[in-house]
């Protein structure tokens, strides 16, 4: 993807082994993050996250739907990621499809938990309005506007911000109006319920280059990786999803070490993200 | 085949199915329960492995893990498509598909895109791609019968097929998945167990090199639990490979 000369490759590798990366960061430093919320008025919630030159938008749309017959006590949530060709020419046509699927799957794994719904970041049972009849369908869409590495972490952060910006309209249901079929539903324009985001994890991707691992790799650094592991950690320090993103095999002890490093970094990143989201919320309230 | 026991036919058996599933879920919550095929929690299903299943392919393998039946063919190396950029290492093209009759309801085997991607990632770390520059190796997997733990079966089968095709690899790859139900961990889950699991962990590794090529995890896990598991199951995996 990235054309680099031998000199440049050596420079990146050498820098990482000496804990000083090409942009002056240390191995475990993130790039400056900026969060904007409420960027898409059409959506119930939205956020834009910039992590250095990586720029992503997440939007949350909620629609009324019917719970699936197998899980009548749960709402539904779907996560899709789109890699726009405006970010890179290789995303044109079907080119971005593989990356989009990979990112969507990784996010689904991190946010939706196991089959029974245990350990999910998004509590699907909170989306039910009338059991077996009416529920919220949450459509979470991520868009990659500009890509400079570490897309998964940026997307997860954007989704977290977008969900904390999400207000679901208050619903009043008239069960008596229709007995058998869909009950009559009335949406309120004024009252909104805040979506609970306390369980939403953050994703930390550790990229292994040489003998060391770095966080928040740029695309130049990603092109030099031997392997990468994405770990999602929630506020309680529990691991709630993990994917190895290809590359060479790793010794089990290295993976365990990566998990513990990711865990300690995640708590810092979580608090940085929380304060950014709070600042963005304050900024939006000022505008309004 | 006529079934005499059912007198009425209902097209949607969802209510019945739901009750069944809820019952199972309750059962799995308890500390001690019997798996429906009588296995211990930490016991794999009987496996059958054979190479040379399809004659037209450069290499192929057929694997049965209990009721899960998978066939994988490997073609190539062949010249990469002209449209592709020059690459000094080989490419791997993986495709996983389900037969329409693999699941209880026809044409329901769905998430093969995910599986293609994960198969690719599990294998790429094991193949010495430098040995076939500018060319592509195709790996086609077909799930004949889906009985749970499909992906581990595909991955193990694909690595056998690659070896059968004479593609240079660092080591064979073996895979296993583990389901988590409350406090219990169940190895090599069946489809009905997978449907109500709280979390799952899949490890693919190269046993003689003691390296993990792919690791996916869903649900909520504590670090200690992961540590214990990775240690345990890499050992199990190496055992698995020995008896092959």
């Amino acid at each position: 993807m990235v054309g680099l000369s031998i000199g440049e490759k050596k420079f990146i590798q050498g820098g990482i082994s000496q804990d000083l990366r090409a942009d002056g960061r240390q191995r475990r430093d993130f790039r400056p993050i900026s969060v904007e919320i409420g960027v898409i008025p059409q959506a119930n919630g939205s956020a834009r996250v910039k992590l250095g030159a990586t720029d992503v938008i997440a939007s949350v749309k909620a629609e009324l739907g019917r719970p699936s017959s197998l899980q009548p006590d749960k709402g539904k949530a779907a996560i899709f990621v789109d890699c726009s060709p405006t970010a890179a020419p290789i995303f044109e046509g079907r080119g971005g499809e593989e990356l989009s699927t990979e990112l969507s799957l990784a996010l689904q794994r991190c946010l939706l938990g196991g089959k029974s719904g245990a350990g999910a970041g998004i509590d699907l049972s909170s989306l039910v309005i009338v059991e077996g009849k009416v529920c919220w369908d949450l459509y979470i869409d991520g868009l990659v506007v500009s890509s400079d590495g570490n897309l998964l972490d940026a997307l997860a952060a954007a989704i977290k911000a977008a969900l904390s910006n999400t207000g679901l309209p208050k619903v009043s249901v008239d069960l008596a109006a229709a007995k058998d079929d869909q009950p009559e539903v009335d949406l309120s324009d004024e009252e909104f319920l805040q979506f609970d985001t306390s369980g939403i994890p953050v994703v930390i991707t550790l990229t292994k280059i040489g003998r060391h691992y770095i966080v928040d790799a740029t695309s130049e650094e990603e092109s030099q990786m031997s392997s990468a592991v994405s770990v999602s950690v929630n506020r309680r320090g529990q691991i709630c999803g993990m994917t190895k993103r290809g590359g060479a095999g790793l010794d089990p002890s290295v993976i365990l070490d990566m998990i513990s490093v990711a865990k300690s970094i995640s708590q810092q990143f979580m608090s940085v993200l929380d304060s950014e989201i709070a600042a963005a919320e304050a900024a939006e309230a000022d505008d309004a | 085949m006529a079934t005499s026991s059912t007198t009425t036919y209902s097209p949607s058996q969802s209510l019945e199915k739901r009750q069944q599933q809820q019952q199972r879920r309750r059962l799995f919550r308890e500390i001690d329960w019997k798996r429906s095929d009588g296995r211990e929690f930490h016991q794999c299903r009987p496996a059958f492995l054979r190479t040379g299943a399809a004659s037209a392919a450069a290499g192929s393998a057929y694997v049965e893990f209990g009721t899960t039946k998978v066939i994988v063919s490997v073609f190539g190396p062949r010249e990469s498509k002209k449209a592709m950029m020059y690459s000094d290492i080989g490419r791997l093209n993986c495709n996983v598909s389900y037969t329409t009759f693999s699941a209880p309801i026809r044409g329901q085997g769905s998430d093969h895109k995910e599986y293609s991607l994960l198969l690719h990632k599990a294998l790429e770390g094991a193949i010495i791609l430098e040995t076939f520059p500018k060319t592509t190796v195709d790996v086609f997997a077909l799930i004949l019968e889906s009985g749970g733990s499909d992906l581990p079966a595909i991955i193990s089968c694909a690595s056998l097929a690659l070896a059968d095709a004479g593609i240079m690899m660092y080591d064979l790859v073996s895979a296993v998945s583990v389901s988590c139900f409350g406090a219990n961990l169940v190895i090599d889950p069946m489809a009905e167990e997978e449907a109500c699991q709280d979390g799952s962990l899949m490890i693919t590794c190269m046993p003689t090199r003691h390296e993990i090529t792919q690791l996916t995890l869903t649900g909520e896990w504590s670090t200690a639990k992961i540590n214990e598991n990775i240690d345990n199951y890499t050992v199990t995996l190496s055992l698995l490979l020995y008896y092959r």
Side-chain angles (χ1 to χ4, degrees), chain A residues 26-49:
Chain A
Q26 290 186 315
R27 284 196 288 264
R28 293 183 187 179
D29 289 344
F30 270 83
R31 286 171 286 184
I33 184 170
S34 90
V35 179
E36 261 178 273
I37 58 170
V39 289
I40 299 164
Q42 309 272 24
N44 293 68
S46 61
R48 176 182 194 176
V49 166

Side-chain angles (χ1 to χ4, degrees), chain A residues 1 68-74 97-98 101-103 105 109-110 113-120 229 234 236-252 255-256 259-260 263, chain B residues 14 17-18 21-22 25 29 85 111 113-115 117-118 120-121 124-126 194-201 206 209-223 226-227 230-231 234:
Chain A
M1 242 202 283
S68 89
S69 58
L70 286 177
Q71 294 184 315
D73 55 344
K74 286 199 176 106
E97 206 169 89
E98 196 179 326
T101 339
E102 184 191 333
L103 292 170
L105 286 170
R109 196 171 290 133
C110 296
K115 282 265 165 57
S116 71
V229 174
N234 66 12
R236 285 179 291 132
Q238 301 281 83
I239 314 290
C240 37
M242 180 159 68
T243 329
K244 186 171 167 297
R245 301 186 52 202
L250 287 174
D251 195 82
I255 291 193
L256 296 181
I259 292 172
S260 65
K263 216 170 125 176
Chain B
S14 63
K17 214 170 170 184
R18 192 166 80 213
Q21 211 177 54
Q22 270 168 355
R25 202 167 289 159
R29 289 262 156 265
M85 268 197 325
D111 38 14
K113 214 182 217 170
E114 171 180 12
Y115 284 2
L117 210 77
L118 287 171
H120 183 272
K121 294 196 166 166
E124 72 175 351
E194 271 182 337
C196 16
Q197 67 195 4
D198 288 342
S200 76
L201 174 78
M206 298 189 276
R209 283 169 66 97
H210 200 60
E211 272 183 9
I212 292 176
T213 60
Q214 177 60 285
L215 179 76
T216 61
L217 187 147
T218 56
E220 198 172 21
W221 298 70
S222 68
T223 330
I226 298 174
N227 286 5
I230 290 180
D231 288 347
T234 44

Side-chain angles (χ1 to χ4, degrees), chain B residues 158-201:
Chain B
S159 92
L160 285 177
L162 282 166
D164 186 43
I167 307 285
M168 295 265 270
M169 291 197 288
Y170 294 110
D171 191 2
L172 283 174
V173 181
S174 60
V176 75
S177 63
V178 181
S179 279
C180 163
F181 299 98
N184 286 327
L185 291 167
V186 168
I187 199 168
D188 198 15
M190 290 170 298
E192 58 176 64
E193 291 168 340
E194 271 182 337
C196 16
Q197 67 195 4
D198 288 342
S200 76
L201 174 78

Side-chain angles (χ1 to χ4, degrees), chain B residues 41-85:
Chain B
F41 287 171
H42 286 215
Q43 197 179 3
C44 292
R45 289 174 292 182
F48 171 80
L49 307 108
R50 200 186 68 189
T51 54
S55 54
S60 60
Y62 171 78
V63 163
E64 275 179 28
F65 276 13
T67 55
T68 304
K69 299 183 178 70
V70 177
I71 186 165
V72 176
S73 302
V74 173
F75 295 90
R78 59 168 172 86
E79 190 186 350
S80 289
K81 282 197 188 99
K82 287 270 153 48
M84 287 202 170
M85 268 197 325

